[in-house]
């Protein structure tokens, strides 16, 4: 069981985490954050393995990983 | 809150970074490099004793993001200021954080001579093959044929020369202790980059001498590409011309 927490307001919607996720469970939200970006959000959280690739590649250090 | 009680946190923002959100464009690798430098400071427990020198360029605001003492240098002069600080305060850890316009263009003289004197400083060199902050002009590291604001028909090697490979250039000198080039487009590259940056700080702690890590970075805004396309462009175009690896390691030679 693993989980990631994405800081919506820190995210700039670059999509690098969605591309690097081996499980392809990070998607871009349809809603906007305060900076007017579409932030990343987790879909199907039960599939998360806690590999932390998303957090490693996030240029805004907006992802925390729990395992 | 329940999640935090049940699970162990395996990844979070390093302590050596402040809470200030980065001012960089979406997808820019500066943020990843900042995190790796901060993680190296955390791992070695040196943030209290570290003095960083920010460049002129996109990273000019680096002093907002690092939890250590910071100075902003005149354009390209970070190695000269780092030399002065390190000589006056040899017990402190001094690093410069410079882009390719700063280090490889206006600051070429400073970096070459700082390396040649074997100053015991750590240099983080961010190479994105373009002048990012000023709007995407051609840099000395711009690839042949690459279109920029000041090379609209692509860089022509006949009149503009070939891109400068700083790592290869500096590794011909005797003095540098550690010179490496890394990238950040894949998880494996990021792990290697972290090791190289940590080693560059460790060599300074051990008094081994000058250490430089060149990090190939994207500039999605000035390249006119999406962050995904920029990563692909870096893998396809930059890495073949700027090969990754260690160019000099004083540990392995002696």
């Amino acid at each position: 069981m693993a989980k990631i927490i994405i800081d919506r307001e820190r995210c700039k919607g670059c999509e690098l985490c969605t591309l690097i996720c081996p499980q392809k469970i990070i998607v871009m939200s349809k809603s906007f954050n305060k900076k007017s970006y579409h932030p990343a959000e987790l879909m199907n959280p039960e599939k998360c393995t806690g590999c932390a690739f998303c957090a490693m590649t996030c240029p805004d250090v907006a992802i925390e990983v729990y395992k | 809150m329940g999640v935090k009680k049940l699970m162990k946190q395996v990844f979070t923002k390093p302590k050596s970074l402040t809470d200030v959100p980065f001012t960089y464009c979406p997808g820019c690798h500066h943020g990843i490099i900042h995190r790796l430098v901060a993680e190296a400071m955390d791992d070695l427990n040196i943030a209290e004793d570290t003095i960083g020198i920010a460049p002129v360029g996109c990273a000019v605001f680096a002093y907002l993001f690092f939890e250590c003492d910071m100075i902003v240098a005149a354009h390209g002069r970070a190695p000269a200021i780092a030399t002065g600080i390190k000589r006056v305060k040899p017990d402190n850890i001094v690093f410069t954080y410079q882009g390719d316009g700063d280090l490889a263009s206006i600051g070429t003289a400073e970096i070459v001579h700082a390396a040649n004197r074997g100053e015991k400083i750590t240099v983080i060199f961010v190479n994105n093959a373009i002048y990012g902050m000023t709007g995407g002009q051609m840099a000395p590291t711009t690839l042949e044929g690459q279109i920029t604001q000041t090379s609209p028909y692509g860089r022509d090697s006949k009149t503009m020369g070939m891109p400068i490979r700083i790592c290869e250039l500096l590794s011909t000198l005797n003095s540098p202790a550690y010179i490496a080039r890394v990238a950040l487009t894949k998880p494996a590259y990021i792990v290697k980059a972290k090791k190289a940056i940590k080693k560059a700080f460790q060599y300074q702690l051990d008094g081994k001498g000058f250490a430089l890590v060149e990090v190939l970075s994207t500039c999605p805004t000035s390249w006119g590409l999406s962050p995904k396309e920029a990563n692909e462009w870096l893998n396809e175009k930059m890495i073949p011309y700027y090969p990754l690896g260690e160019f000099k390691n004083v540990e392995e030679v002696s």
Side-chain angles (χ1 to χ4, degrees), chain B:
Chain B
M1 285 305 285
V3 172
K4 286 178 187 171
K5 276 179 193 165
L6 285 170
M7 298 176 173
K8 200 178 136 205
Q9 192 166 40
V10 291
F11 192 104
T12 189
K13 187 168 71 65
K15 289 190 185 74
S16 299
L17 280 183
T18 63
D19 287 330
V20 181
F22 294 139
T23 46
Y24 306 114
C25 303
C28 168
H29 286 183
H30 265 305
I32 309 178
I33 304 165
H34 277 29
R35 177 177 65 77
L36 295 178
V37 171
E39 281 182 356
M41 286 199 271
D42 276 9
D43 290 352
L44 300 168
N45 201 18
I46 53 170
E48 285 282 306
D49 302 319
T50 301
I51 302 168
I53 323 285
V56 170
C58 293
V60 69
F61 294 122
Y63 57 82
L64 294 171
F65 311 129
F66 288 111
E67 284 280 13
C68 65
D69 291 332
M70 297 289 291
I71 295 175
V72 183
H75 204 359
R77 275 54 176 164
I81 292 185
T83 299
I85 294 171
K86 186 68 183 176
R87 288 189 178 196
V88 173
K89 296 175 88 62
D91 293 335
N92 285 69
I93 303 300
V94 182
F95 79 94
T96 74
Y97 186 103
Q98 302 177 263
D100 49 344
D102 192 78
L103 184 142
S105 179
I106 194 165
T108 322
E110 277 75 12
I111 194 66
V112 169
H113 290 289
N116 193 38
R117 291 192 305 267
E119 299 296 343
K120 292 177 181 56
I121 58 171
T122 301
V123 177
I124 309 297
F125 168 40
V126 182
N127 179 0
N128 59 10
I130 207 161
Y131 276 86
M133 184 187 73
T134 48
Q137 291 83 5
M138 192 183 82
T141 44
T142 295
L143 296 181
E144 195 181 15
Q146 187 183 337
I147 290 167
T148 68
Q149 294 288 328
T150 46
S151 59
Y153 305 109
R155 180 175 182 155
D156 181 358
S157 60
K158 284 179 191 150
T159 52
M160 303 165 192
M162 288 294 280
I164 294 180
R165 294 185 180 111
I166 287 290
C167 283
E168 284 86 336
L169 183 78
L170 295 181
S171 59
T172 61
L173 303 170
N174 282 330
S175 308
Y178 184 69
I179 292 177
R181 186 185 285 124
V182 295
L184 303 166
T185 46
K186 294 176 188 169
Y189 289 168
I190 298 175
V191 172
K192 279 184 191 162
K194 188 184 169 179
K195 277 186 192 156
I197 290 173
K198 195 173 165 185
K199 208 183 264 184
F201 278 98
Q202 186 65 52
Y203 276 30
Q204 184 180 163
L205 274 170
D206 299 343
K208 288 196 175 118
F210 182 88
L212 179 141
V213 178
E214 173 175 347
V215 189
L216 299 182
S217 166
T218 61
C219 183
T221 304
S222 294
W223 290 357
L225 301 172
S226 71
K228 179 197 172 194
E229 291 165 341
N231 269 11
E232 286 165 0
W233 193 88
L234 191 148
N235 283 335
E236 286 165 19
K237 301 280 174 71
M238 280 183 83
I239 292 179
Y241 189 82
Y242 295 112
L244 307 179
E246 287 184 351
F247 292 84
K248 193 153 192 197
N249 190 342
V250 81
E251 285 254 291
E252 288 174 3
V253 174
S254 56

Side-chain angles (χ1 to χ4, degrees), chain A residues 1-3 5 10 12 14 16 19-20 35 37 50 52-53 55-61 63-67, chain B residues 3-4 7-13 17 19-22 24 26-28 31-32 35 187 190-191 227-228 231:
Chain A
M1 179 75 182
K3 189 179 173 69
I5 295 175
R10 242 186 125 91
K12 290 182 188 151
C14 72
L16 289 184
L19 300 166
I20 211 161
K35 290 180 191 151
Y37 294 117
F53 284 2
M56 279 163 67
T57 199
C58 177
D60 289 285
V61 204
I63 302 176
E64 288 184 335
V65 184
Y66 295 87
K67 210 170 179 179
Chain B
V3 172
K4 286 178 187 171
M7 298 176 173
K8 200 178 136 205
Q9 192 166 40
V10 291
F11 192 104
T12 189
K13 187 168 71 65
L17 280 183
D19 287 330
V20 181
F22 294 139
Y24 306 114
C28 168
I32 309 178
R35 177 177 65 77
I190 298 175
V191 172
K228 179 197 172 194
N231 269 11

